[in-house]
Amino acid sequence: MNLNMQQFKADFFKALAHPLRIKILELLAEGEKSVNELQSLAGSEGSAVSQQLTILRGKNIVTGTKDGNRVIYSLRDPMIVELLSVAKQIFNNHLVDTISMLDQMKE
């Protein structure tokens, strides 16, 4: 595989490697939102949300569009929704395996 592609993937996954950034992406998967909406829905301070949005914008994962004096954010690529879904399925698979292993240990 091309080294540039591997670096792109590594940088992309680094940009996703924060719980608040994942929460923001999950919220944006439901539709575009302003910083204030994201702050309220995520239950986080505005500065923290803005900081994470800056990282996501820097990696072209989200886009921001000016609407008067506020910025409306959205996912740059709708495939992010699918990626989050696949990650959840992988997590669930690991959870099922762990539960199965614990059940076997009880026996």
Side-chain angles (χ1 to χ4, degrees), residues 22-42:
I22 297 294
K23 180 66 174 175
I24 289 168
L25 294 176
E26 290 172 342
L27 292 168
L28 292 176
E30 300 168 2
E32 57 186 29
K33 293 178 178 44
S34 69
V35 174
N36 289 338
E37 291 171 307
L38 289 168
Q39 174 187 345
S40 175
L41 292 168

Side-chain angles (χ1 to χ4, degrees), residues 9 13 20 28 52 55 59 64 75 84 95 97 99 101:
K9 288 178 181 179
F13 284 112
L20 183 52
L28 292 176
Q52 301 311 322
I55 292 167
K59 294 298 178 184
L75 297 176
L84 294 172
L95 189 58
D97 290 345
I99 290 169
M101 182 179 67

Side-chain angles (χ1 to χ4, degrees), residues 8-24:
F8 169 81
K9 288 178 181 179
D11 291 342
F12 177 81
F13 284 112
K14 280 183 204 173
L16 300 181
H18 190 283
L20 183 52
R21 290 195 287 263
I22 297 294
K23 180 66 174 175
I24 289 168

Side-chain angles (χ1 to χ4, degrees), residues 12 15-16 21 24-25 28 33 35 38 49-67 70-76:
F12 177 81
L16 300 181
R21 290 195 287 263
I24 289 168
L25 294 176
L28 292 176
K33 293 178 178 44
V35 174
L38 289 168
V49 170
S50 293
Q51 194 174 33
Q52 301 311 322
L53 283 167
T54 298
I55 292 167
L56 293 170
R57 275 183 90 166
K59 294 298 178 184
N60 291 315
I61 297 171
V62 301
T63 60
T65 306
K66 276 286 226 186
D67 181 28
R70 62 187 195 146
V71 179
I72 304 298
Y73 287 92
S74 60
L75 297 176
R76 183 173 182 270

